[in-house]
Amino acid sequence: MRTLGIDPGTAIMGWGIVDEQTGALVLVACGAFTTPAGLPQQERLLSLYNGLQALLEQYRPGAAAIEELFFGKNVNTAIHVGQARGVALLALAQAGVPTHEYKPTAVKQAVAGYGGADKKQMQEMVRLTLKQPTIIKPDDAADAVAIAICHAYTAPMLRRIAETGKK
């Protein structure tokens, strides 16, 4: 299954795509959409939306995973990240891509085996998992790839749970 991971943000929205091939995960592509700081918010959101639509058309993922909103101390940042999440969720819904949301600690637990893993540990685990020669850059793309890996690891259990509920 092809999974798109999204690390939402207005200035930088990371994305990463992994395929599961005979039990192993393979990096297909990753990157980040960036928007200029001086651009009005609605134009930044439109740019992110257009980028996601093109990405969905090109790679056609079977599932998507996005990080849940983490409220820090900066309310303005949280609002802007929430708007970027909304744009991503809209694009995914319009494309008919089943979408799953994960808390940052769940992503860390799935990828590094420890919900309190730091950024360096996460980047190294992503590199090792996908057998990459170097750490994925930028950080936002690495985070998005980690989110995709989290879903790839979690999806089989979600399918079993869904099947049990249908019986």
Side-chain angles (χ1 to χ4, degrees):
M1 172 182 330
R2 176 164 286 182
T3 303
L4 167 63
I6 297 175
D7 180 31
T10 302
I12 304 172
M13 179 180 285
W15 60 272
I17 300 170
V18 297
D19 276 350
E20 185 177 355
Q21 297 175 355
T22 59
L25 295 178
V26 176
L27 179 65
V28 174
C30 64
F33 301 118
T34 59
T35 62
L39 207 59
Q41 183 68 358
Q42 65 272 19
E43 290 180 34
R44 293 175 102 177
L45 295 172
L46 179 61
S47 175
L48 295 171
Y49 176 78
N50 290 336
L52 280 168
Q53 279 193 313
L55 190 71
L56 292 165
E57 178 67 28
Q58 180 179 356
Y59 291 104
R60 302 194 181 279
I66 188 168
E67 191 171 71
E68 284 187 11
L69 186 57
F70 172 75
F71 268 98
K73 293 179 179 168
N74 189 333
V75 176
N76 273 346
T77 299
I79 289 170
H80 286 164
V81 171
Q83 290 173 337
R85 278 186 87 250
V87 163
L89 292 170
L90 173 63
L92 292 164
Q94 285 181 329
V97 178
T99 303
H100 305 270
E101 300 179 48
Y102 295 96
K103 293 182 182 344
T105 53
V107 175
K108 292 175 182 183
Q109 179 69 43
V111 175
Y114 171 56
D118 65 26
K119 189 167 281 292
K120 245 183 144 162
Q121 290 170 312
M122 289 294 293
Q123 290 173 338
E124 183 62 12
M125 287 306 298
V126 166
R127 185 189 74 74
L128 292 170
T129 299
L130 299 174
K131 298 177 176 61
Q132 295 296 299
T134 59
I135 295 211
I136 293 171
K137 293 288 181 189
D139 291 353
D140 305 89
D143 292 348
V145 171
I147 295 163
I149 291 170
C150 172
H151 182 68
Y153 286 166
T154 307
M157 180 58 72
L158 294 175
R159 280 192 294 274
R160 285 194 291 276
I161 290 168
E163 288 168 4
T164 302
K166 292 179 184 176
K167 292 180 183 179

